Amino acid sequence: MSALLAVVSSVLWGGADFLGGRLSRQHSAASVVFRGQLVALPCLIVALLVVGDLTPHGPALLWGALAGVAGVIALGAFYHALAIGRMTIVAPIAATSVAVPVLIGLALGQYPSVTQAVGIVVAGCGTILAVGPELRSADQSQSGRSIVLALVAALGFGLVLVTIALGSRTSVVQTLVTQRLVYVAVLGVVLLFRPRDPNPWDRRQLVAVAGNGVGDMGANLLYAEAIRGGSSLPVTSVLASLYPVVTALLAHRFDGERLRRIQYAGVAAAFVGVALLTAG
């Protein structure tokens, strides 16, 4: 069950990132993330009230705050990279974020089985196959900045996966509510000192940003529950970090971004890795 939750979280993250990247081509990344989290925050507060988990838990609040800081930096960098670069380049680079929780999980003594270890390697090789040809052929003047931003996002996303996992040991909902509060507070301050967004938001874009915020929230919630269900950090984080495959496929389907044969092989390898991880 934990593996299924992690995979579904990856699908939701991939869809949310696709919407966020598209919106960031018309609006600033900070504005997109801020509006998305404004939608997600009330949903989590309602969940907190329904669950009745109202007694403050120090560890959950601390790790949630750290997840918020890392997440603001990661999402801002990622959406900006998606806006100025190609999704089929940026999204797979962001997938390297999984190295952070995998290494930390191993340091904590959470060792995967042989089958799961093979799955991690196969999924990682799939990511390399998916991004390698694009990096080699991309216009460096256009893609260089987006690649750097994608690497910054990867580090931030990796830290988010770790901090949510640690906070969820105490309280899933309090960790995520605190994370969103930090998102809204930090980005609200940032937007106060930035020039006003010259592009008006139409109804279709507002629906898309709501989908972005709810999708991101749902992905975080499912990932946290997967960790709380007893699955190890390395395995769960790998399953939850396949979202770039979803983002790249959506960009190919709806934006016409080209995928080469070797990249299709990379996508296939990622799915094989999922199968091995769940089987292990």
Side-chain angles (χ1 to χ4, degrees):
M1 186 62 179
S2 293
L4 177 61
L5 292 177
V7 171
V8 175
S9 75
S10 195
V11 174
L12 290 177
W13 260 320
D17 289 342
F18 174 72
L19 292 174
R22 264 189 160 189
L23 289 167
S24 296
R25 292 170 180 169
Q26 288 84 41
H27 306 279
S28 70
S31 178
V32 172
V33 178
F34 179 74
R35 282 171 169 77
Q37 299 312 314
L38 273 182
V39 175
L41 181 58
C43 298
L44 283 171
I45 291 176
V46 170
L48 182 67
L49 295 174
V50 170
V51 173
D53 188 7
L54 302 179
T55 303
H57 300 290
L61 299 180
L62 173 61
W63 292 118
L66 292 175
V69 173
V72 165
I73 296 172
L75 284 174
F78 187 53
Y79 287 172
H80 189 48
L82 289 173
I84 66 175
R86 293 184 59 182
M87 288 190 184
T88 48
I89 297 175
V90 173
I93 294 176
T96 59
S97 62
V98 73
V100 178
V102 167
L103 292 175
I104 290 179
L106 294 175
L108 294 174
Q110 299 180 10
Y111 300 107
S113 66
V114 174
T115 302
Q116 291 172 332
V118 173
I120 290 174
V121 173
V122 171
C125 290
T127 299
I128 293 173
L129 289 175
V131 69
E134 294 293 344
L135 292 177
R136 186 169 59 249
S137 63
D139 177 7
Q140 293 302 314
S141 62
Q142 181 181 0
S143 66
R145 189 179 177 191
S146 67
I147 291 172
V148 172
L149 288 170
L151 289 171
V152 171
L155 177 60
F157 285 142
L159 293 174
V160 169
L161 290 173
V162 173
T163 49
I164 288 179
L166 294 173
S168 297
R169 294 177 177 177
T170 307
S171 172
V172 169
V173 180
Q174 286 192 20
T175 300
L176 298 183
V177 167
T178 305
Q179 179 192 24
R180 261 58 192 179
L181 285 172
V182 172
Y183 278 176
V184 171
V186 172
L187 290 172
V189 172
V190 169
L191 291 174
L192 282 176
F193 293 94
R194 294 192 59 164
R196 195 181 193 90
D197 192 342
N199 300 319
W201 286 76
D202 59 35
R203 181 177 299 178
R204 187 175 180 180
Q205 291 173 338
L206 290 174
V207 171
V209 82
N212 165 264
V214 172
D216 180 65
M217 175 198 68
N220 278 269
L221 184 60
L222 292 178
Y223 168 73
E225 288 293 346
I227 286 289
R228 192 179 185 187
S231 184
S232 70
L233 180 58
V235 172
T236 306
S237 59
V238 170
L239 290 172
S241 295
L242 295 172
Y243 56 87
V245 174
V246 178
T247 304
L249 290 176
L250 288 173
H252 172 67
R253 171 65 179 82
F254 293 102
D255 292 344
E257 292 195 10
R258 179 174 52 91
L259 289 176
R260 300 185 180 186
R261 290 183 179 178
I262 193 171
Q263 291 175 288
Y264 282 113
V267 172
F271 285 114
V272 171
V274 170
L276 291 171
L277 285 165
T278 54

